Each structure stands twice: as structure tokens, then as C-alpha cells.
Amino acid sequence: MLPESREIGSEFHWDPAVLLNVAQDGHLPPVHSLYATGCGALTALLRRLAPAGRLHVPSFFCLGVAEALSAHVPLAWYHHRPGGLSLETLRTRPGDVVLAQNLFGREDGTVWRDWIAAHPGVTVIEDHSHDPFGPWAKTSTAPYAVASLRKTLPVPDGGLLWSPRGLDLPSPASGAAPGSDLKLAAMVLKAAWLDGHPVAKDAFRTLQQQGEQALLGSEAPPSAFTAAVLPALDIAGLRAAATRNARALEVLLPSHLLLATPGAFPRGAAPFRVQLLCPDEPARDNLLRHLAAHGIYAPVHWRQPTDAFWSGDPEAAALATRILTVPVDHRCTSADVHRMATLLK
């Protein structure tokens, strides 16, 4: 087993090595608004748009975000699952808004560009949280786009909202985001723990959990820390490392373990980790525990219990019981990738 300090996955720690020597201005869209959370940015935008109709949400999506948005606008669901988008199930009416997503960073947006062009009267918001700086995000033709930055970048908070068409954007609420300071403290303490200093793991885990709970859905601006480091992050390097690790793990694993075909992502895209497809939910949860016992913390994207708030898409719910994401982000070394492959095989 790995030494306790060689944890793989879980929450990001703060590492100054992710900074460039000189701050860059070209990563973020020319006109944008920064929020503490992507959900908060979406909420603020929907409040600005005040749609007369419904918000159409993909059926394989973060249900916590969907439920939060449902408090502001009625929801409708269309079928978008890993490996399949059914626009025939997207039945819009005047006044509706559509939320599109680049699921796991493996889509190129061609279908959505065509759909947007064919439906000029419908407002589309693209969610690029799984690859905020990929080719689709950079060439989007949607009215609006959003990304939760802390999913892929080592920052305690951060939601990016922009308009590829240059439309006006809402501003974040006044005041500091609750929980951002706790999450930053957790990142700093985790870095010390990883370096072997006498820090209790429970200390930073508690701070992280408390901070995340307080931060959920915040429409406040990002923390001063996030706003300051964003221009200086080596985003190209972070994306390249994550892509290299994903490619390496996919090559090492039998194809029947993988959700997607190895290498199946657009040129220039940075896939969001690697997704495994297990036989059923007990097998998936057993694998989750097995990896955790060896210091590898793999998230589930996303649980969708049918006895609670859910999409109404049985196939999406069934996939949600079988998928597990392996954390091959920029923190992983080649040795980490090979070790994970050995455990999985």
C-alpha cells in the first residue's frame, strides 16, 4: 500500500509549482464574470434572463446543481448520457432555455453548434466545467457559457461565466463567499500533510467539508486568492498533464473496463479523468472501497437515486449506478498511473 502521504485524488492541495513565471492574460475570455461557484453563476444568469418557459437539463448531470436551479425555473429533461445525445428528446418552446454540457470533456460541440444555428430563438447556456479551456469552449457560438473552475483547477472556489456573443452578463452578489477561506485553509494544510509535516488528516478534511457545504451555490465573487492566481496558473501545463495521464491509463487498461473508447476525445481537448464502467452498482461500490483502501479516492459522477430528485431517464440512472471516475489529473506521476492500472486489472 502507498504511504499515507501519497494519497491520489480527493480534493486539490495548494502547490506553487502550478504557477507560471509570468502571469498570462489569454486564458480567460475577454469579457467574463467570476463567481465563487458555477452554480451561483448559472443562478445569477437565470435570474437576469427571467425565462418565461422551462430550463432543459441533460439527464446525466449533477443533480445537486439541477435541484438548486429548479428553485428558480421549472425544469425539463432531455436525454444526454455518456456516449449518446438525443436531440429528439429536446422539445423546446418559445421562452425556454437549454443547458448543454461537454460531458467528461470528450465532446467537440459540433452537434450543438448546428442546433443553436437552427434555433435562433432559444437561449443556450453551455456548461464547460469538465474542460473550461478546451477547443469547444474557445470556439463556442452559444449565447452564454459557464464553468465551475474548481473541478479542474487547484483553487478553493471559482465559477466562470462568459458570453461567446458578447452579451451583457450579470455581476456577482456583494460580499465574500462563505466557505472559501475554509477550503483554502484545507488546501494549505493538505499540502503540508503531503510533505510529511505533523498535520492531522481529519483537520483539513473537516475544513474542506465545512467549506464546501457553506460554499454550495454561492453567487458571491470568488475569493481574493482565486482571483489573484487564475491569471498565473499554468493552465496549458495542467491540461497537458491530465491528458497525458488519461491516455496512459486508457492504454494500460482492458477496453471492457472503460466507459469510452481509448483516445476518444477531440483533438486539443483535455478529457475529465478516466471513467470506468462496472457491471453493476455493488461492483462499482466495492471497487470504490478497494481503491480507497489503497489511498486512491475516485469520485462518482453522479449518483441518481430514482426514489428522490432525479432526471426521469431510466438509462441515465442505470449508468449512474455503474460509472466511477479515476483521478488521473495533473497531480499523478507515471508511477501513480501504472499503480492504479495494476490495482484495476
Side-chain angles (χ1 to χ4, degrees):
M1 176 172 173
L2 285 171
E4 186 185 14
S5 60
R6 271 305 294 143
E7 174 181 285
I8 299 173
S10 190
E11 293 294 317
F12 288 118
H13 63 283
W14 173 243
D15 181 2
V18 300
L19 296 175
L20 295 164
N21 291 328
V22 180
Q24 303 288 312
D25 293 325
H27 294 307
L28 300 178
V31 179
H32 62 269
S33 289
L34 285 175
Y35 286 77
T37 69
C39 182
L42 274 171
T43 301
L45 178 58
L46 288 171
R47 186 180 293 111
R48 164 72 69 88
L49 295 175
R54 302 166 298 169
L55 174 66
H56 296 259
V57 180
S59 57
F60 195 88
F61 190 70
C62 177
L63 292 186
V65 172
E67 188 168 16
L69 297 178
S70 71
H72 305 279
V73 61
L75 301 189
W77 302 86
Y78 66 94
H79 293 176
H80 182 196
R81 318 171 188 118
L85 168 63
S86 173
L87 290 177
E88 292 77 16
T89 63
L90 178 56
R91 303 182 180 95
T92 57
R93 300 192 294 255
D96 285 357
V97 175
V98 174
L99 182 61
Q101 68 172 332
N102 182 1
L103 183 57
F104 299 139
R106 292 178 178 265
E107 304 181 20
D108 65 7
T110 301
V111 172
W112 280 111
R113 274 189 285 272
D114 293 343
W115 195 93
I116 290 168
H119 298 80
V122 177
T123 299
V124 174
I125 308 168
E126 292 175 353
D127 184 348
H128 290 281
S129 295
H130 287 169
D131 192 8
F133 306 99
W136 179 7
K138 293 287 188 182
T139 61
S140 171
T141 59
Y144 301 98
V146 68
S148 177
L149 298 178
R150 70 187 194 278
K151 303 294 189 298
T152 58
L153 300 181
V155 289
D157 57 2
L160 176 64
L161 175 66
W162 74 101
S163 171
R165 297 184 183 178
L167 303 176
D168 289 340
L169 300 171
S171 298
S174 59
S180 295
D181 55 343
L182 299 179
K183 292 200 68 181
L184 178 57
M187 292 176 69
V188 173
L189 288 175
K190 182 174 181 179
W193 176 75
L194 288 169
D195 284 340
H197 296 288
V199 175
K201 185 176 182 179
D202 286 347
F204 64 79
R205 284 292 294 152
T206 298
L207 284 171
Q208 188 278 321
Q209 291 164 353
Q210 291 175 343
E212 185 67 21
Q213 190 61 38
L215 187 63
L216 287 177
S218 173
E219 297 179 48
S223 62
F225 176 87
T226 294
V229 303
L230 270 179
L233 286 176
D234 182 10
I235 289 174
L238 296 175
R239 295 180 74 249
T243 303
R244 183 170 59 249
N245 288 337
R247 288 185 184 276
L249 184 62
E250 288 181 346
V251 169
L252 291 170
L253 292 179
S255 59
H256 73 271
L257 292 179
L258 299 171
L259 175 65
T261 303
F265 46 90
R267 181 182 179 86
F272 186 74
R273 326 302 190 228
V274 170
Q275 283 70 42
L276 308 180
L277 185 63
C278 300
D280 51 35
E281 187 169 20
R284 192 272 307 278
D285 290 345
N286 283 337
L287 180 57
L288 187 67
R289 288 189 289 269
H290 172 67
L291 291 174
H294 289 81
I296 300 168
Y297 297 95
V300 173
H301 295 102
W302 293 276
R303 297 186 188 275
Q304 191 168 148
T306 57
D307 59 351
F309 180 90
W310 73 299
S311 69
D313 179 359
E315 290 188 38
L319 278 171
T321 66
R322 301 173 59 195
I323 292 175
L324 187 64
T325 295
V326 183
V328 283
D329 55 63
H330 67 274
R331 295 170 290 178
C332 290
T333 65
S334 177
D336 292 332
V337 172
H338 279 79
R339 186 171 183 283
M340 281 188 280
T342 300
L343 284 169
L344 292 168
K345 288 190 292 187

